[in-house]
Amino acid sequence: MSVMLPDCPQRSLREKAHQWWYFLDHPSIPPDNNLAERSLRLAVTKRKVSGGSRSMSRFEETADLLSVIQTCRFQGKSAMAFFRDAISAQYE
């Protein structure tokens, strides 16, 4: 007698089989996660070079800054110009 546990990997894969080929019916969905991996590259490189953050607050600040930088890159805008404008607006 074979009993499958609820968290069995085979069952999980079988239940999600309809998602495997979703990109075939939806051309706007890429078949890979390269965009997500590329967007993490800056944070991973920064962590590797710096040795990581020593506090949760510093980690959160760094994540916020990297998020803004990546968003600017994705939109084809200058992160430096964004920060300059944001700081200037703070003092107007």
Side-chain angles (χ1 to χ4, degrees):
M1 184 167 132
S2 176
V3 177
M4 293 194 86
L5 300 174
D7 60 347
C8 176
Q10 294 168 340
R11 181 175 178 184
S12 177
L13 287 173
R14 210 174 14 256
E15 289 173 354
K16 295 177 182 169
H18 66 280
Q19 297 175 1
W20 296 349
W21 307 110
Y22 187 82
F23 68 93
L24 292 175
D25 295 327
H26 300 86
S28 63
I29 306 293
D32 56 38
N33 68 341
N34 289 343
L35 181 60
E37 289 182 6
R38 281 194 303 269
S39 67
L40 290 173
R41 186 172 295 141
L42 179 63
V44 171
T45 302
K46 190 257 180 235
R47 185 185 67 218
K48 184 176 180 180
V49 170
S50 71
S53 300
R54 300 192 188 274
S55 71
M56 183 52 83
S57 63
R58 183 63 185 143
F59 168 80
E60 290 169 350
E61 292 166 358
T62 301
D64 291 343
L65 288 172
L66 293 175
S67 177
V68 171
I69 292 168
Q70 287 297 91
T71 299
C72 287
R73 283 183 178 176
F74 187 71
Q75 294 178 356
K77 298 179 180 177
S78 166
M80 292 303 291
F82 173 85
F83 287 121
R84 183 190 62 237
D85 294 345
I87 292 169
S88 296
Q90 179 73 25
Y91 294 103
E92 286 181 358

